[in-house]
Amino acid sequence: MSIILQQHPAIAAGVSGEAFREQAADGFSLGGFTWRQAGADTTRAVVIINAATSVRCRFYFRFAEYLFANGFDVIVYDYRGIGESRPASMRGFQASWSDWGTLDFEAMLQRAMRVFPGQPIDVIGHSFGGCAAGLAASSTVIRHLVTVGAQFAYWRDYAAASRWQLVCKWHVLMPLLTRFCGYFPGKRLGWLEDTPAGVVRDWSQSSARYETRPSGQALAELPFARVTAKTLAISLSDDPFGTVAAIERLLAYFKASPRVHLRIAPEDIDEAEVGHFAFFRSRYEGRLWPIALGWLKRGELTACAPGRVVPPYI
């Protein structure tokens, strides 16, 4: 039986983050928000939240407030082309998945080291955000990493029951609309935020290896294998993107990291469905969020964590 914890007063009060702008190495201006505790403390971690593809950082505000209420400093931000980091015109705006990792996430790591000097840096990565965590040159500074449904959209890994529907939507219709509009008009369709053409190419031209995507780099140049963060990969059994094969395909890149894959079925938390996005909704503050919180604090699973651990890599 699941235990519903009482909502923390800071969450109920809707604590607001402080807006900021940060320049990436190529000069592009990124927008985001910071939740900052009073006073410096080098034993307190700062958590960076990496969003899913074309999901605004504001979607994660409640989760950021939860982490802040539990003693962390928190940074959330939008990748270039999305939300707070959207350019004046999306038509023809070129940004890729690799840009989001090597430039945008790297800028947030640099900001965390500058604004919170000496503090440990932890990361939450949702969907592609987990992949981005292994693309930045400074990813070696990450202490603890929690990913949720993290993968890079290899179509053969999609859940069998919905595979062809997802292929038609994301690998046929999305690139066709992008070619016509110069970007993917996801907001008008009610699917995602509007999305840069380069990101659409990386997603839709699916392959089993990240380095063979249109914006991919040679495997030897990718930082993944140098990341040593204690890594918890959370997946939901009803997530059509985050199948076991998809999660483990990405995890295999983090060769130097101690890795745990926790697979949760909705019935484990007395739910009918959770899917790819709902983990970060406040209704799961008492049932799913403590799993991530425990890992960020101690680098280990809490004894009462729901689900099962997929056989380990190491």
Side-chain angles (χ1 to χ4, degrees):
M1 179 65 66
S2 299
I3 299 174
I4 309 297
L5 302 180
Q6 186 175 5
Q7 191 178 59
H8 193 287
I11 306 296
V15 177
S16 297
E18 171 190 345
F20 69 80
R21 305 298 302 181
E22 181 76 19
Q23 274 199 347
D26 65 346
F28 190 87
S29 180
L30 302 163
F33 299 86
T34 302
W35 282 258
R36 189 197 308 259
Q37 304 285 343
D41 184 351
T42 56
T43 67
R44 182 177 69 239
V46 52
V47 181
I48 302 172
I49 299 178
N50 284 349
T53 296
S54 301
V55 175
R56 295 189 68 167
C57 70
R58 291 174 181 270
F59 176 73
Y60 304 93
F61 271 18
R62 299 288 279 181
F63 187 71
E65 291 162 2
Y66 170 81
L67 296 178
F68 176 77
N70 281 278
F72 292 92
D73 296 307
V74 187
I75 294 172
V76 303
Y77 69 103
D78 280 314
Y79 307 120
R80 63 186 64 202
I82 308 299
E84 309 298 319
S85 304
R86 182 185 174 110
S89 174
M90 287 291 289
R91 185 177 294 273
F93 176 70
Q94 294 300 313
S96 67
W97 265 350
S98 288
D99 291 335
W100 285 359
T102 61
L103 292 170
D104 300 352
F105 176 51
E106 173 67 19
M108 294 306 122
L109 287 171
Q110 293 294 329
R111 179 179 180 82
M113 288 186 281
R114 185 181 74 250
V115 176
F116 302 98
Q119 294 183 215
I121 298 175
D122 296 341
V123 174
I124 298 285
H126 181 205
S127 195
F128 171 76
C131 185
L135 293 174
S138 299
S139 291
T140 52
V141 304
I142 302 172
R143 181 189 67 162
H144 297 153
L145 170 63
V146 176
T147 68
V148 179
Q151 33 64 51
F152 50 85
Y154 176 45
W155 71 271
R156 291 184 184 273
D157 289 341
Y158 294 160
S162 54
R163 181 175 300 147
W164 294 111
Q165 178 184 358
L166 294 174
V167 167
C168 289
K169 184 175 182 178
W170 301 117
H171 300 270
V172 178
L173 185 55
M174 180 171 66
L176 284 175
L177 287 171
T178 300
R179 184 175 299 178
F180 178 76
C181 298
Y183 67 99
F184 177 59
K187 196 167 185 178
R188 276 180 277 174
L189 295 171
W191 292 2
L192 295 169
E193 291 294 307
D194 296 341
T195 305
V199 171
V200 171
R201 283 193 295 272
D202 281 333
W203 184 346
S204 61
Q205 295 182 27
S206 185
S207 60
R209 302 291 301 177
Y210 181 81
E211 63 272 21
T212 61
R213 297 297 169 105
S215 71
Q217 303 163 258
L219 183 59
E221 297 173 359
L222 293 172
F224 285 107
R226 299 191 294 275
V227 179
T228 59
K230 288 186 176 180
T231 300
L232 172 64
I234 300 171
S235 66
L236 283 301
S237 65
D238 66 330
D239 178 356
F241 297 101
T243 60
V244 171
I247 302 301
E248 295 187 352
R249 188 176 302 281
L250 176 59
L251 273 181
Y253 279 85
F254 290 90
K255 297 180 183 299
S257 297
R259 292 156 286 175
V260 174
H261 178 184
L262 179 66
R263 186 79 171 164
I264 303 171
E267 54 267 28
D268 293 334
I269 57 169
D270 301 327
E271 288 286 347
E273 59 182 6
V274 179
H276 191 61
F277 293 100
F279 180 97
F280 294 96
R281 299 195 182 279
S282 55
R283 65 181 294 180
Y284 295 117
E285 179 192 339
R287 289 175 287 175
L288 292 177
W289 293 4
I291 304 168
L293 180 66
W295 191 270
L296 293 176
K297 284 183 174 293
R298 296 178 293 277
E300 59 186 33
L301 279 176
T302 55
C304 60
R308 65 180 181 88
V309 173
V310 176
Y313 286 89
I314 56 177

